[in-house]
Amino acid sequence: MQSQELLQLTSQFGSPLYVYDAEKIQSQYNRLTAAFSKVERLRINYAVKALSNISVLKLLKEMGSGIDTVSYQEVMLGLHAGFESQHIIYTPNGVSFEEIEEVAEMGVQINIDNLSVLEHFGTKYPKTPVCIRINPHVMAGGNANISVGHIDSKFGISIYQIPHILRIVENTGMHINGIHMHTGSDILDIEVFLYAAEILFDAAKNFKELDFIDFGSGFKVPYKKGDIETNIEELGKKLTKRFNAFEKEYGRELTLTFEPGKFIVSEAGHFLAKVNVIKQTTSTVFAGIDSGFNHLIRPMLYGAQHHIDNISNPKGKERFYTVVGYICETDTFANNRRIAEITEGDILCFKNAGAYCFSMASNYNSRYKPAEVLWKDGKAHLIREREKMEDILKNQIMV
Ligand SMILES: *Cc1c(COP(=O)(O)O)cnc(C)c1O
């Protein structure tokens, strides 16, 4: 999207504002399916938690995507957006048994990552097909918050517990129709991914009636200059070859499944915020914007570095700024960053604001959540209204 268009949208819809470029979402989806075009049966289940607006879900549904969900509410959003239950997979962690039952009753594919839940579920519903989430114990990224495959991870059933899984399956007579892994959010190295895939193939041989193998996600997109991006095309080539060979060896038709979130929506998103104040201190120039970690928490939570452009003065001379929010707490978006000269009232544009940005927003400091706009076919569609005071008061009871 052009800066001029983004600037225009900010004057039309106000700030702060999230804008998503539909074309970028579509091209990322197409890139992924093209990389695996030599796989007979491919299923992309978009991870709803990355960006859960129902208009975005509908867009992905029209592309032929399914969805990956982690809560009852995400399942309901998916159904609302028009997905059929058989195109939804539910991968909960630590939720109540009642919630799993409720989702299973809707005909959604259940993915279980806990032995005791597996035994309980298999005993009660031996006829409902279940997918198993395996922890292959492979470290993906370096950040402990997003490496979910390591030995102390709360996610998945350890690969070393396969004998126990088999015992439960035998005892309950339940039907395992899928096997799954999701090793974390940052795959830097394709070889590491392929190594984990081999572990999953090995595990798959223990189950005779699989319909699909789900390799999760963790595809990386660049946030700042010099960032590594998962080479999807190379992964596609290598994994396709292995998958097709495994399918032959396995002797039964299998679907290759992925559940990407970040890869599909991250780069499509722009977060626009207005500079309220410029504040010069003894050592730093602060640019204070009309937002905070209530709207975009990734820089503070994960140390994510979102590229920032001053779209009001794109040709301005670059200077060093520390970009901060208006929350009564330290909320630094960027430290000592080179940005085209900022004047109060300018609009800053944060890149890569599609994934885990709005979906992690809160009302901290009793601020409204921003509006969301979908930019599609050269037109702006408001897909979420900015909150109002009524929304802050909603559900509160004064006694
Ligand atoms: C979060 C999550 C995803 C999506 O991860 P991305 O890094 O956004 O692609 C996929 N599968 C599961 C089970 C998840 O929890």
Side-chain angles (χ1 to χ4, degrees):
M1 286 189 75
Q2 304 292 319
S3 297
Q4 277 312 311
E5 291 163 348
L6 291 168
L7 212 49
Q8 200 277 323
L9 293 179
T10 320
S11 49
Q12 187 178 350
F13 297 100
S15 82
L17 183 71
Y18 277 102
V19 178
Y20 312 116
D21 182 355
E23 208 175 293
K24 184 67 186 176
I25 294 175
Q26 290 165 325
S27 68
Q28 286 296 95
Y29 182 90
N30 288 335
R31 227 184 110 193
L32 190 53
T33 52
F36 289 88
S37 60
K38 298 239 160 62
V39 170
E40 195 88 20
R41 283 160 292 276
L42 178 72
R43 182 97 221 143
I44 307 296
N45 290 325
Y46 165 67
V48 171
K49 75 176 188 288
L51 172 58
S52 51
N53 188 291
I54 52 176
S55 290
V56 172
L57 299 184
K58 178 166 166 253
L59 179 76
L60 282 154
K61 184 187 169 288
E62 287 162 0
M63 304 284 302
S65 181
I67 48 171
D68 173 66
T69 59
V70 295
S71 69
Y72 168 83
Q73 289 80 359
E74 284 188 356
V75 171
M76 295 307 284
L77 279 178
L79 292 172
H80 191 89
F83 286 93
E84 288 172 40
S85 55
Q86 69 262 32
H87 294 143
I88 305 178
I89 182 166
Y90 173 68
T91 305
N93 176 266
V95 312
S96 73
F97 191 75
E98 291 71 29
E99 180 170 318
I100 298 175
E101 280 181 304
E102 223 170 318
V103 172
E105 267 162 32
M106 294 189 255
V108 168
Q109 172 73 51
I110 304 294
N111 189 7
I112 292 181
D113 88 332
N114 176 316
L115 283 173
S116 84
V117 173
L118 186 72
E119 182 172 327
H120 191 176
F121 193 88
T123 306
K124 204 160 168 189
Y125 306 99
K127 291 205 161 56
T128 305
V130 162
C131 174
I132 294 179
R133 178 173 186 174
I134 298 287
N135 181 351
H137 300 304
V138 173
M139 279 282 266
N143 186 329
N145 290 321
I146 47 183
S147 301
V148 294
H150 59 88
I151 199 90
D152 288 330
S153 165
K154 69 165 187 162
F155 298 100
I157 301 174
S158 167
I159 190 73
Y160 303 113
Q161 290 174 312
I162 292 269
H164 197 165
I165 298 174
L166 293 173
R167 172 72 58 86
I168 290 171
V169 169
E170 196 186 336
N171 287 348
T172 58
M174 69 190 300
H175 170 32
I176 304 301
N177 68 339
I179 191 162
H180 167 280
M181 70 169 189
H182 174 64
T183 51
S185 241
D186 272 334
I187 289 174
L188 301 173
D189 189 341
I190 288 179
E191 296 310 318
V192 173
F193 191 92
L194 291 170
Y195 176 75
E198 286 305 325
I199 295 173
L200 203 61
F201 286 135
D202 253 354
K205 290 178 196 156
N206 290 292
F207 305 93
K208 303 297 170 214
E209 294 182 333
L210 295 181
D211 296 321
F212 66 95
I213 300 185
D214 189 332
F215 294 93
S217 178
F219 304 137
K220 199 169 160 58
V221 295
Y223 277 71
K224 58 178 193 303
K225 260 209 187 83
D227 266 359
I228 299 167
E229 178 177 14
T230 304
N231 187 336
I232 285 290
E233 288 71 25
E234 188 191 339
L235 180 68
K237 252 193 218 129
K238 291 184 168 164
L239 186 59
T240 295
K241 199 164 155 225
R242 265 307 284 139
F243 183 83
N244 288 344
F246 178 79
E247 190 182 30
K248 252 204 202 105
E249 183 190 337
Y250 187 71
R252 186 181 154 92
E253 286 187 354
L254 287 170
T255 298
L256 193 169
T257 307
F258 284 117
E259 40 191 44
K262 189 184 275 182
F263 181 81
I264 303 285
V265 295
S266 175
E267 294 162 294
H270 308 268
F271 180 57
L272 304 157
K274 192 171 80 189
V275 177
N276 280 336
V277 290
I278 296 288
K279 182 171 183 174
Q280 202 116 25
T281 66
T282 46
S283 58
T284 310
V285 184
F286 286 103
I289 60 172
D290 63 348
S291 184
F293 68 62
N294 49 327
H295 299 151
L296 175 60
I297 200 172
R298 298 188 76 262
M300 302 84 183
L301 191 60
Y302 304 128
Q305 294 199 32
H306 290 258
H307 182 83
I308 302 171
D309 283 329
N310 180 2
I311 58 172
S312 297
N313 184 24
K315 296 211 168 71
K317 183 168 179 282
E318 286 191 343
R319 304 188 57 176
F320 286 96
Y321 294 96
T322 292
V323 180
V324 293
Y326 61 10
I327 292 292
C328 293
E329 198 169 317
T330 302
D331 57 351
T332 306
F333 289 102
N335 229 324
N336 231 8
R337 195 75 76 74
R338 278 180 92 112
I339 300 171
E341 183 156 20
I342 301 173
T343 312
E344 290 177 358
D346 283 357
I347 301 295
L348 301 187
C349 175
F350 292 69
K351 298 286 184 62
N352 282 71
Y356 308 104
C357 292
F358 187 93
S359 66
M360 295 179 102
S362 75
N363 289 112
Y364 187 48
N365 278 203
S366 296
R367 293 288 181 181
Y368 307 142
K369 286 191 199 163
E372 292 179 290
V373 165
L374 184 66
W375 179 259
K376 192 166 178 266
D377 305 322
K379 276 209 255 341
H381 305 266
L382 184 66
I383 58 172
R384 186 190 302 265
E385 290 182 34
R386 185 177 308 283
E387 285 185 329
K388 304 183 206 58
M389 199 56 218
E390 288 141 64
D391 299 303
I392 303 292
L393 281 168
K394 196 174 162 220
N395 297 331
Q396 295 202 56
I397 299 165
M398 190 152 59
V399 292

